């Protein structure tokens, strides 16, 4: 049934999605043809409305040929609608209703689409939802416009948490691996290039690259599977064009095209070849693919052996064992980053990965990191359907029995799943402790199952409280425990053999539990040189002198290496020469600058460059803990949220 909007005559329904309706219409005041996007939710949440308003505000301030123009944001009942320009076309999705586009038509459109996405990136925006529905094309002029900036980011880098796959931002058929939150990779502008590759795949073959029965299966496909090459789906598709699409869809962003301009150049060459001789010959890809963006690769260097150990341990756990893997090393050596690599096999087994972090100044709060981990898991469960929640409620109550309140008291989110519970009787201190340990072990076994193994990661174990250590001894010594992998990271330079954590580890090992400890060392010279080579996309022999300087300054500590390279770029000691299409530096000039070899001093200098108001907020936020929420900070500062956001923005831009 067609909606009725006052002041507009709706003509055609262009798109109907789960969250929005798109109409072609006439504005009655001046008979102007327009396109209207309406929230398709009777009672939208504040988050829905805020995202809608943000998408409008972002586009309203842009001046770009490739971005759809907007006229107004108006209210309709409990909802909102956006009035946009009508370029006389439809979405790529509407074109695909008839199947694949055909080679010549594809090449005509793909070049323009690549150019449009590149223009968005030049505006320092990441769209984060490039898909056929969000690309509008005028079929007569081939004019391309990008729409729907509701989840776009103005930050250079973003981190995506691992949340319920059904609630991920973006369109699942075209979602990049890093946008799933299960790749241990930040989201940057290259996430759009993956989505563009998936869109091109659909345009060429008539089908999306992956077909999963549910959201988790689709997530696994994006992070771990390569799609069937387009040239195998349809033999009429030239292999060269097929390989371009697969390069766009590389799992790691470093292996994709690095710019819309570089992609456009290759597509233009394909189009010219096709017009001249109706075929596309092989050629060297990405010859003009120079973004000039400073990007340190996010893959691990020199850690193959350690990654293999983690993967092997998880595979054993997925078959029914319970194990502990500890990773030791100095701060910044990459312990947490290494552990996060286990995400990929976890998704394949539909497992759960939960994490918590101990705080040096919160050691008086028992179980703080474990509580943090399970609160995160419970929040994820609360986003599932009513039917799924009822199943979890049944499982939790069956495991916890009449004493479920013991767990609800420390993890209130569990109470939102199981409902009100009766108070438990008071016991003596030791009996209370034993009861809690039993119920927590029962809670773990609800989630550590064959159909979904459980991985618990606790960071900074050198600051763990005694109660947590005793609980871990009980959990890992339990011979009936299955499908559980406990992973921990600690700074081995801050503990000795008499430290409570090390004593607890020895007790766990003596109980017969399977336990491994990996010691992470700084990067070796070869691994460091490879990182620098990949960062600047150059030859290995060209970075030898720079590599030695970086090694001398950082001693191979990966965090310090990255911060040091960023400092060189920010100080313009490393620059991109667009004429030579390569990165340039002068080692003697860098040495003369005398940049500190102390990582703490380097970070302090970085913070001191921020505005005074930003520094003050970071100071107060740090007093709350290693993580804090904006509302809590607002209460402390007695400042409205918009003011806080404005002051924190420079820190976000610096990745702090």
């Amino acid at each position: 049934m067609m909606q009725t909007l006052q002041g507009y005559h709706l003509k055609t329904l262009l798109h109907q999605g789960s969250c929005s309706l798109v109409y072609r219409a006439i504005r009655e005041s001046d008979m102007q043809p327009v396109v209207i996007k309406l929230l398709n939710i009777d009672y939208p949440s504040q988050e829905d409305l805020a995202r809608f308003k943000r998408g409008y505000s972002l586009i309203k301030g842009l001046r770009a040929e490739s971005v759809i123009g907007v006229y107004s944001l108006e209210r309709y009942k409990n909802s909102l609608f956006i009035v946009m320009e009508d370029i006389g076309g439809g979405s790529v999705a509407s074109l695909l209703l008839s199947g694949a586009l055909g080679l010549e038509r594809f090449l005509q459109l793909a070049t323009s689409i690549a150019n449009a996405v590149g223009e968005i990136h030049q505006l320092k925006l990441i769209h984060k939802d490039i898909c056929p529905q969000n690309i509008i094309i005028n079929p007569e002029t081939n004019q391309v416009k990008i729409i729907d900036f509701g989840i776009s980011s103005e930050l250079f880098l973003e981190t995506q948490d691992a949340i319920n796959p059904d609630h991920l931002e973006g369109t699942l058929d075209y979602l990049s691996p890093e946008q799933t939150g299960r790749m241990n990779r930040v989201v940057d502008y290259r996430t759009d290039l993956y989505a563009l590759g998936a869109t091109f795949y659909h345009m060429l073959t008539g089908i999306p690259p992956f077909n999963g029965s549910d959201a988790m299966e689709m997530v696994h496909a994006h992070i771990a599977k390569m799609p069937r090459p387009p040239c195998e789906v349809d033999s009429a598709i030239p292999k060269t064009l097929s390989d371009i699409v697969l390069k766009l869809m590389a799992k790691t962003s470093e292996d994709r095209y690095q710019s819309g301009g570089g992609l456009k150049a290759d597509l233009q060459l394909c189009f010219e070849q096709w017009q001249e001789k109706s075929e596309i010959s092989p050629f060297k890809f990405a010859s003009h693919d120079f973004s000039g963006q400073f990007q340190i690769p996010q893959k691990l260097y020199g850690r193959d052996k350690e990654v293999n150990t983690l993967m092997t341990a998880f595979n054993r756990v997925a078959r029914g064992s319970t194990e502990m893997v500890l990773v030791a090393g100095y701060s910044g050596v990459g312990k947490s980053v290494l552990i996060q690599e286990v995400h990929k096999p976890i998704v394949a087994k539909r497992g759960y990965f939960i994490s918590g972090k101990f705080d040096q100044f919160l050691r008086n709060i028992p179980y703080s990191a474990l509580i943090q981990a399970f609160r995160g898991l419970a929040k994820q469960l609360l986003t599932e359907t009513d039917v799924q929640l009822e199943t979890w409620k049944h499982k939790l109550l069956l495991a916890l029995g009449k004493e479920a309140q013991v767990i609800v008291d420390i993890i209130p989110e569990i109470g939102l799943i199981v409902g009100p519970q009766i108070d438990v009787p008071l016991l003596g201190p030791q009996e209370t402790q034993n009861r809690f340990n039993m119920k927590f072990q029962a809670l773990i076994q609800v989630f550590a199952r064959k159909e979904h193994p459980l991985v618990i990661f606790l960071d900074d174990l050198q600051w763990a409280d005694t109660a947590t250590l005793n609980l871990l001894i009980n959990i890992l010594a339990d011979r009936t425990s299955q499908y559980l992998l406990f992973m921990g990271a600690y700074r081995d330079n801050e503990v000795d053999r008499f430290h409570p954590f090390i004593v607890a580890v020895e007790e766990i090992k003596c109980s017969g539990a399977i336990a491994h400890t990996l010691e992470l060392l700084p990067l070796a010279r070869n691994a460091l040189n490879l990182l620098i080579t990949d960062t600047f996309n150059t030859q290995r022999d060209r970075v030898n002198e720079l590599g030695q300087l970086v090694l001398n300054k950082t001693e191979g500590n990966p965090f310090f290496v990255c911060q040091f390279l960023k400092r060189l770029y920010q100080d313009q000691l490393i620059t991109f020469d667009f004429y030579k299409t390569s990165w340039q530096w002068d080692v003697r000039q860098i040495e003369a600058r005398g940049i500190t070899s102390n990582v703490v001093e380097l970070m302090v200098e970085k913070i001191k460059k921020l505005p005074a108001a930003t520094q003050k907020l970071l100071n107060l936020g740090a007093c709350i803990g290693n993580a804090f929420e904006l509302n809590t900070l607002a209460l402390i500062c007695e400042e409205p949220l918009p003011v806080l956001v404005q002051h924190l923005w420079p820190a976000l831009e610096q990745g702090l």
Side-chain angles (χ1 to χ4, degrees):
M1 180 179 170
M2 193 79 80
Q3 304 282 344
T4 303
L5 301 180
Q6 186 174 359
Y8 298 91
H9 173 58
L10 304 184
K11 296 173 63 180
T12 312
L13 178 63
L14 297 175
H15 172 71
Q16 181 170 0
S18 58
C19 298
S20 63
L21 298 168
V22 180
Y23 294 98
R24 176 163 280 124
I26 297 293
R27 186 166 57 192
E28 294 173 350
S29 62
D30 56 4
M31 304 308 290
Q32 171 79 30
V34 295
V35 171
I36 288 176
K37 181 179 179 181
L38 172 69
L39 264 176
N40 189 22
I41 307 170
D42 290 335
Y43 296 97
S45 66
Q46 289 298 315
E47 186 178 355
D48 293 326
L49 294 171
R51 181 177 294 143
F52 210 67
K53 289 177 182 177
R54 183 178 181 277
Y56 168 78
S57 300
L58 203 57
I59 300 174
K60 188 72 175 173
L62 297 179
R63 294 290 179 268
E65 285 293 320
S66 59
V67 177
I68 200 78
V70 293
Y71 299 134
S72 61
L73 176 70
E74 302 184 30
R75 184 163 291 280
Y76 170 72
K77 295 182 179 178
N78 302 302
S79 190
L80 296 168
F81 64 91
I82 296 174
V83 183
M84 302 178 283
E85 69 171 322
D86 182 1
I87 66 168
S91 69
V92 169
S94 63
L95 296 178
L96 289 171
L97 292 175
S98 304
L101 299 187
L103 273 175
E104 184 150 348
R105 186 72 178 123
F106 169 81
L107 289 167
Q108 285 175 337
L109 298 180
T111 307
S112 298
I113 295 170
N115 182 68
V117 171
E119 188 174 339
I120 289 170
H121 295 160
Q122 288 171 4
L123 296 169
K124 301 192 184 305
L125 282 177
I126 311 170
H127 188 278
K128 291 171 61 180
D129 196 12
I130 296 294
C131 62
Q133 293 92 329
N134 290 334
I135 303 171
I136 305 298
I137 291 173
N138 183 307
E140 295 179 2
T141 64
N142 287 335
Q143 183 185 21
V144 169
K145 296 277 188 177
I146 307 295
I147 65 170
D148 200 349
F149 287 73
I151 62 171
S152 299
S153 175
E154 296 173 89
L155 288 173
F156 187 61
L157 301 173
E158 273 196 348
T159 302
Q160 172 64 55
D161 293 328
I163 61 174
N164 186 329
D166 290 312
H167 294 267
L168 286 167
E169 290 184 328
T171 305
L172 199 51
D173 281 345
Y174 313 94
L175 205 65
S176 72
E178 58 270 24
Q179 257 185 287
T180 68
R182 290 164 169 82
M183 274 288 284
N184 190 31
R185 301 288 188 271
V186 297
V187 174
D188 62 26
Y189 68 95
R190 293 171 294 186
T191 198
D192 289 342
L193 294 169
Y194 179 94
L196 188 55
T199 298
F200 283 174
Y201 189 103
H202 195 167
M203 291 167 67
L204 275 171
T205 65
I207 55 174
F210 301 112
N211 180 27
S213 58
D214 60 21
M216 185 60 83
E217 190 175 335
M218 289 294 290
V219 165
H220 178 243
H222 281 301
I223 69 174
K225 295 182 179 180
M226 282 305 295
R228 188 181 174 198
C231 61
E232 293 182 12
V233 177
D234 182 352
S235 59
I237 298 171
K239 186 177 184 301
T240 300
L241 193 55
S242 177
D243 289 345
I244 287 175
V245 172
L246 294 180
K247 180 175 176 64
L248 280 168
M249 292 189 65
K251 300 304 178 188
T252 56
S253 53
E254 295 86 6
D255 294 330
R256 297 171 201 156
Y257 279 90
Q258 302 298 296
S259 68
L263 172 62
K264 177 187 173 184
D266 283 1
L267 290 171
Q268 189 69 44
L269 182 56
C270 289
F271 189 33
E272 290 168 2
Q273 286 192 26
W274 185 258
Q275 285 186 313
E276 288 175 11
K277 50 187 179 179
S278 297
E279 65 177 48
I280 301 174
S281 304
F283 60 87
K284 184 182 178 182
F285 294 160
S287 297
H288 304 280
D289 191 28
F290 309 110
S291 70
Q293 298 271 18
F294 175 76
Q295 297 275 3
I296 297 175
Q298 298 172 57
K299 59 186 178 183
L300 292 178
Y301 290 87
R303 306 296 193 213
D304 294 346
K305 181 182 176 183
E306 291 84 355
V307 169
N308 185 59
T309 300
L310 293 184
M311 299 302 183
T312 305
F314 177 77
N315 288 335
R316 288 194 297 266
V317 164
R319 293 194 295 267
S321 73
T322 286
E323 300 190 20
M324 175 177 75
V325 178
L326 299 175
V327 181
Y330 275 76
S331 176
V333 80
K335 303 182 295 295
S336 304
V337 175
L338 172 69
I339 288 174
Q340 297 280 354
E341 284 294 302
V342 82
H343 263 306
K344 192 181 295 183
I346 291 173
V347 174
K349 298 292 184 181
R350 296 178 175 268
Y352 289 104
F353 179 97
I354 61 176
S355 63
K357 184 180 177 72
F358 289 101
D359 192 303
Q360 184 177 6
F361 303 108
L362 297 177
R363 288 191 241 191
N364 60 322
I365 302 176
Y367 315 111
S368 60
L370 273 172
I371 291 170
Q372 183 184 349
F374 277 90
R375 289 189 72 178
L377 176 56
K379 287 176 181 177
Q380 187 172 327
L381 297 182
L382 286 166
T383 64
E384 296 189 355
T385 64
D386 291 341
V387 174
Q388 291 169 319
L389 273 178
E390 194 61 34
T391 302
W392 284 116
K393 177 180 179 180
H394 174 73
K395 289 179 179 180
L396 287 164
L397 290 177
L398 190 66
L400 300 176
K402 295 180 180 179
E403 296 174 321
Q405 190 63 36
V406 171
I407 297 299
V408 173
D409 282 340
I410 65 161
I411 308 174
E413 289 81 1
I414 295 291
L416 297 175
I417 299 173
V418 300
Q421 299 295 306
I422 59 173
D423 291 332
V424 294
L426 293 174
L427 301 174
Q430 190 58 51
E431 290 86 352
T432 298
Q433 184 68 59
N434 291 340
R435 179 175 63 189
F436 175 80
N437 287 351
M438 287 177 58
K439 292 304 168 186
F440 208 96
Q441 286 176 260
L443 173 69
I444 287 175
Q445 289 308 312
V446 170
F447 300 105
R449 300 283 181 90
K450 182 178 182 179
E451 56 270 27
H452 44 71
L454 176 64
V455 178
I456 303 174
F457 167 44
L458 300 185
D459 202 0
D460 283 328
L461 276 163
Q462 73 277 358
W463 296 326
D465 57 278
T466 303
T468 296
L469 295 176
N470 290 334
L471 178 57
L472 291 179
I473 292 170
N474 288 337
I475 292 169
L476 293 164
D478 182 2
R479 297 298 178 87
T480 65
S481 176
Q482 288 185 297
Y483 305 106
L484 173 66
L485 178 58
F486 173 77
M487 306 175 78
Y490 69 99
R491 301 177 187 176
D492 54 358
N493 60 305
E494 295 188 19
V495 299
D496 57 27
R497 63 192 182 95
F498 302 110
H499 190 282
F501 165 65
I502 299 300
V503 172
V505 170
E506 289 304 313
E507 190 168 341
I508 289 168
K509 290 179 178 178
C510 290
S511 72
I514 303 173
H516 321 267
T517 300
L518 303 177
E519 183 181 356
L520 276 198
L521 299 174
L523 294 179
R525 175 71 185 275
N526 284 343
L528 177 58
N529 277 5
L530 184 57
L531 183 154
I532 296 173
T533 299
D534 290 349
T535 298
F536 300 117
N537 191 25
T538 189
Q539 302 299 317
R540 288 284 294 271
D541 56 2
R542 187 170 173 248
V543 305
N544 284 333
E545 199 175 1
L546 178 62
Q548 186 61 55
L549 184 150
V550 173
L551 183 63
N552 293 342
K553 286 284 188 178
T554 66
E555 298 182 354
N557 181 290
F559 175 76
F560 193 10
V561 168
C562 293
Q563 293 302 319
F564 185 76
L565 290 175
K566 288 177 184 176
R567 174 65 181 273
L568 297 182
Y569 173 71
Q570 289 164 356
D571 288 357
Q572 295 187 327
L573 294 168
I574 293 179
T575 57
F576 189 79
D577 188 323
F578 281 92
Y579 181 74
K580 295 180 179 179
T581 63
S582 64
W583 290 93
Q584 304 294 317
W585 60 82
D586 184 331
V587 170
R588 276 153 292 285
Q589 188 181 4
I590 295 171
E591 288 174 331
R593 186 65 64 91
I595 298 173
T596 178
S597 60
N598 183 302
V599 67
V600 176
E601 289 179 11
L602 195 69
M603 295 304 293
V604 168
E605 288 176 14
K606 186 174 184 177
I607 292 171
K608 282 183 175 179
K609 290 181 180 179
L610 296 171
T614 305
Q615 292 185 46
K616 179 183 177 182
L617 289 182
L618 291 179
N619 198 342
L620 292 171
C623 293
I624 299 171
N626 56 53
F628 60 86
E629 293 183 353
L630 202 58
N631 286 327
T632 308
L633 190 61
L635 287 172
I636 294 171
C637 300
E638 298 181 334
E639 293 274 12
L641 290 179
V643 173
L644 290 192
V645 171
Q646 182 181 353
H647 289 325
L648 283 173
W649 193 255
L652 289 168
E653 289 182 316
Q654 290 294 321
L656 292 168

